[in-house]
Amino acid sequence: MHKLKILVLEQSEITTIADACRFLAVPSDISIEVHSLSEQLSGLDLPRLNPIPAANMKSLCRSFYSSSAKPSALVKEILFFSSLAVHKQLAEFQKQQSPTLYIHPDLAIMELSAPLTLHQAFPDWAHAIRPSTPTHQHALTPTQHFVDNAVEPCILAGDSAHGFLPEGFCPTVYPEISAYLKAKVPNQVLLTANHHLIMALLAMDEENWSIFHPECCVRNLALDVCSNPQSSALYGLNQAIRQLSRLVSTPTSAFDFAGIRHAKQADKHAYSFFARHYDEYMAHVDYELWITRIL
C-alpha cells in the first residue's frame, strides 16, 4: 500500500483537502492519510481519507515521519505539509530551521531563515521509506552540495540572506531582481531571506510553483497562500498520485530541477509563464523602486 501523508494543523485545511479528494481518482493501492491533532479531526466526515489523530505535537511528528514498512519493502510515500505555516510551526517546535525550495518552470528560489547548512545526500523525498525522525549526518559544505547537484546558487545585492551564508561561500550576485530574471539559467537557485519577494512571485503564477522542504523530505501544498486552496490541494495530490502510480516520471530529489519541471509541465495546466509573459506583465515596473520597497 502506497501512501500520501499530509500533516495539517488547521481544521479548515482538513476540510479543504477532504473536498478536493472528492474529485480525485485514488487507486486502491494508495492511501491518503491526514495527520493532525485529535481536536482538529474531531467530528469531521472524511470518507476518502484515513485520519491519523495525535494527542500532542511530539506524537504528531513521530507518526507523520515514521513508516510501518520494512526497509526492503516496495512501499512508496509522498509527504506533504498542508501549508507554509505548518512548516514554520514544526520548525519552531523542533527548534530546527530548514530552507524552503520554490521551483517554477522558469526559476528556482531557496528561502533562508537561518544560517545555511546543507547536508550530504538528502533523502529521496518522492519514494522515501521514512525513518522515525529526519537525520542529518556527514555534513558537506553548501558549495560541495550545490556542485554535487549541478546547482548554481545566486543572490541579490542587499538581500539579508547574505548574513546567512557561511564564510567562503560565494554565489553569483545580481544587482536587482530584474537583472536576475533576465540573466537566470535553468540550474540556478536564488537564495533569499525576503519572504515578501517570494510571495509576490508566487502570486503572479501560483499554479505553476512546486514547493519542497528538502532537509525533512516533504512537499508543501501551500494552502495558506494560494488564492484557490481546493484547486491547489487537488492539483498537488493528483500529481503525487500519478507519480506513485508511475503515470508520470518522479524526480529523484528536491534539487532535481529538470525532473521537477518535466513532471510539472507534463500536466496540461503547466506552461512557461515568466518566459512567455515577462515583457507584458513586467515592462511597466520600476524595478529599482520595487526592489527598494520589498527589501
Side-chain angles (χ1 to χ4, degrees), residues 139-160:
L140 290 175
T141 66
T143 302
Q144 288 173 305
H145 186 86
F146 284 129
V147 168
D148 287 349
N149 288 276
V151 172
E152 178 189 337
C154 61
I155 194 168
L156 300 180
D159 195 303
S160 58

Side-chain angles (χ1 to χ4, degrees), residues 67-135:
S67 173
S68 58
K70 297 180 180 180
S72 60
L74 296 177
V75 173
K76 301 176 183 178
E77 296 180 352
I78 294 181
L79 276 59
F80 286 93
F81 294 142
S82 63
S83 66
L84 297 179
V86 167
H87 173 247
K88 183 178 180 180
Q89 288 178 258
L90 260 64
E92 292 173 351
F93 173 75
Q94 297 173 323
K95 297 181 180 179
Q96 181 181 356
Q97 297 294 328
S98 61
T100 299
L101 264 175
Y102 302 81
I103 301 176
H104 184 274
D106 292 311
L107 65 156
I109 302 172
M110 177 179 279
E111 182 175 17
L112 305 180
S113 56
L116 180 61
T117 56
L118 295 176
H119 303 272
Q120 184 179 30
F122 280 126
D124 181 346
W125 54 267
H127 291 173
I129 301 296
R130 301 296 309 187
S132 59
T133 57
T135 58

Side-chain angles (χ1 to χ4, degrees), residues 27-47:
S28 59
D29 64 339
I30 295 178
S31 171
I32 303 179
E33 297 182 353
V34 173
H35 294 249
S36 190
L37 297 173
S38 299
E39 60 265 27
Q40 299 297 331
L41 290 167
S42 178
L44 294 181
D45 180 26
L46 307 172

Side-chain angles (χ1 to χ4, degrees), residues 199-212:
M199 291 301 102
L201 293 172
L202 257 66
M204 291 172 59
D205 188 31
E206 63 181 36
E207 69 177 8
N208 280 320
W209 289 90
S210 300
I211 305 175
F212 308 99

